[in-house]
Amino acid sequence: SPPPEEAGPGGAPRGMVVWCPDWPVVAAAAELGLAVTDPVAVIEAGEVFACSEEARRDGVRRGMRRRDATARCPDLVLADHSPERDVRAFEAVLGAVEQVSASVTPIRPGLCALAVPRRFYGGEAEAAAVVAEHLVAAGVWDCRAGIADGMFTAEQAAKQAAPQESVVVPVGGSRRFLSRLPVAVLDDLEQVSLFRRLGLRTLGDLAALPVRDVATRFGSSGAWLHRLARGADARPAGARQPPRELDAHGGFSPGL
């Protein structure tokens, strides 16, 4: 079990989520040999799936049609979306994080979680700084960390951090931290649309509803989102099994 200083409510370990924004763009730029300051957009089904900060400055946005994006930014470099490329490139991030922590949980390319190794580095913010140092050394400049009692809250905290910085949510402070966030941060478009039509604009509005009423009105999926909004997501960050390095040897007779 984790030491008391590393535990949240109920003794659950504190979690850190590391977020690398615009990861499909980062992976595509690395493959094409582009700089991080170049305007780049990743295209899927004729629309912008992700774009770089430089492209956003020229008005490019996710969901924009290819033609409209290039009209806004004539220097825009386009790349087709490749999930395999995203996963392959993210291995470098996972490997760098595993130098700091014995375990890491990939959530999706650009996002991973781990138990906070604070006792080895003198604190939670200090542990996040060490993770950032390893990622920068691996060539990932825009990396951000969030630390909280649960993975959902930690992810939202990471998305409010500055590049190479962290946001630490105090122990027991998840619900208060989440309360001001819009319901749009929940990854369920249908339920979010319904919440908005009912006048529920923030996670605090949703969390204030009685648990039984939410389960009756919105079903199991709504009950889970209500649990997230209350900061009650205590899923542990499980460890992945790093891929083994395999060598194959073949003998030829006579020799080649």
Side-chain angles (χ1 to χ4, degrees):
S1 62
E5 69 272 17
E6 293 190 39
R14 296 269 284 170
M16 178 191 299
V17 167
V18 178
W19 179 48
C20 303
D22 307 322
W23 187 255
V25 174
V26 174
E31 185 176 73
L32 297 173
L34 300 173
V36 293
T37 56
D38 290 333
V40 181
V42 174
I43 302 297
E44 184 175 63
E47 295 182 346
V48 175
F49 179 79
C51 59
S52 66
E53 181 63 31
E54 188 67 24
R56 284 193 288 271
R57 289 195 185 99
D58 288 336
V60 179
R61 295 291 183 270
R62 182 170 182 172
M64 185 177 288
R65 292 184 300 177
R66 178 199 299 255
R67 181 192 310 171
D68 296 335
T70 54
R72 295 281 185 93
C73 180
D75 296 330
L76 188 66
V77 179
L78 302 178
D80 291 331
H81 183 218
S82 170
E84 295 81 8
R85 178 181 61 215
D86 297 346
V87 173
R88 188 168 59 249
F90 199 54
E91 278 294 325
V93 172
L94 299 177
V97 174
E98 284 171 338
Q99 295 178 22
V100 178
S101 173
S103 63
V104 58
T105 303
I107 300 174
R108 60 179 181 270
L111 197 69
C112 64
L114 61 148
V116 185
R118 58 183 283 179
R119 63 178 175 177
F120 297 109
Y121 301 107
E124 294 176 333
E126 290 78 4
V130 173
V131 171
E133 288 177 5
H134 280 73
L135 291 178
V136 170
V140 181
W141 295 94
D142 192 352
C143 51
R144 315 173 189 211
I147 299 171
D149 297 333
M151 286 181 15
F152 174 74
T153 307
E155 178 182 346
Q156 303 312 314
K159 291 181 177 178
Q160 295 192 21
Q164 301 177 28
E165 298 292 340
S166 64
V167 170
V168 179
V169 179
V171 174
S174 293
R175 181 165 180 167
R176 181 177 180 181
F177 173 81
L178 294 170
S179 64
R180 57 190 173 83
L181 300 182
V183 292
V185 302
L186 298 170
D187 191 18
D188 189 320
L189 294 178
E190 183 176 347
Q191 289 281 21
V192 166
S193 176
L194 179 57
F195 291 154
R196 284 173 167 170
R197 292 199 300 271
L198 294 175
L200 303 173
R201 303 295 179 184
T202 67
L203 295 186
D205 295 337
L206 177 59
L209 298 177
V211 174
R212 179 176 296 181
D213 291 350
V214 171
T216 302
R217 177 65 179 84
F218 303 109
S220 59
S221 62
W224 171 246
L225 297 179
H226 185 242
R227 184 178 179 85
L228 295 181
R230 300 192 334 261
D233 174 22
R235 292 172 296 167
R240 75 160 186 157
Q241 184 65 39
R244 293 185 298 167
E245 295 184 6
L246 302 177
D247 292 322
H249 302 271
F252 297 90
S253 181
L256 297 179

